[in-house]
Amino acid sequence: MSGRNQQVPEQKTGRGKRKQLPLWQETILLLGVALVLAIVIKTFFVQAFYIPSESMEPGLILNDRILIQKVSYWGDGEPERGDVVVFKDPGGWLPPIDSAGPTNPIAKVMAKVGLYPTGGHLVKRVIGVAGDTIECCDDQGRLIVNGQPLDESDYVKRGGATCNGPMPTNGACDEKWTVGPIPDGHMFVMGDNRSRSADSSQKMCQPDETECVPGDEFVPVDLVVGKVFVLLWPADRFRWNNRPATFEDVPDPTP
């Protein structure tokens, strides 16, 4: 036997070297994963929208970009008084041009995954929820919910009106109105720009109307997409959106 050290042949483990995907396949795979994640985020968590009119001034201005979150309304969660919500058009609230949505092909794709605002939605503040009764107005022009006046001076724009709930036909505040109790599964919404908002107050039937359908002023909560939580753009006006403290003082409706 030779005294030389004999080399033992390297044994093959049976594992071949992992084959790397071509760059173009990796790119498609990553784009697919990103698309799925974007759709999941839009469906369950966060979505982008824009302000389609001047109805939410002074806080939210035409073409502002906002983000809504959907977590608060998971399960049994429903909109609360004071929330600013985005909801689908209940029918006839928006003109056709605002219901169309984006027309650019790229914008359409981005809208599908929540990266671009879609049409057919409204942004309003929840004033009353199921069981509530809303009155306009006290001697200071404040709305009254379940007997409690609301101090909305921090965010309401009256636009020449003398109260926070002007009659929708002529902007007058000398005629008082009452609505409610709000049916289960519904809410009463108003824009912060009270004289320039097509909202629940505009849908209320007036005494001399013959073709108005009672109840159209109430929005089904099933149509709510989510709650506005941040004003994203323009960057110089970026801010978090919080529920006004005045709504904390509103008592529950009397059975």
Side-chain angles (χ1 to χ4, degrees), residues 41 85 132 174 199:
I41 290 172
V85 297
D132 289 347
D174 52 354
D199 53 30

Side-chain angles (χ1 to χ4, degrees), residues 13-20:
T13 62
R15 293 182 181 178
K17 187 177 179 181
R18 181 177 293 177
K19 187 178 181 181
Q20 188 173 2

Side-chain angles (χ1 to χ4, degrees), residues 172-229:
C173 290
D174 52 354
E175 297 181 49
K176 296 185 179 294
W177 53 263
T178 301
V179 65
I182 299 173
D184 288 341
H186 291 75
M187 59 187 183
F188 188 93
V189 299
M190 297 182 74
D192 289 349
N193 189 357
R194 294 293 158 82
S195 295
R196 302 282 294 176
S197 176
D199 53 30
S200 290
S201 67
Q202 190 184 61
K203 296 295 180 178
M204 292 188 300
C205 294
Q206 304 305 313
D208 57 346
E209 287 186 282
T210 58
E211 297 183 0
C212 180
V213 179
D216 280 354
E217 65 269 31
F218 304 124
V219 178
V221 296
D222 290 346
L223 297 180
V224 174
V225 181
K227 176 170 66 173
V228 178
F229 77 101

Side-chain angles (χ1 to χ4, degrees), residues 93-108:
W93 284 44
L94 285 172
I97 190 172
D98 291 329
S99 300
T103 56
N104 182 287
I106 296 178
K108 285 183 177 180

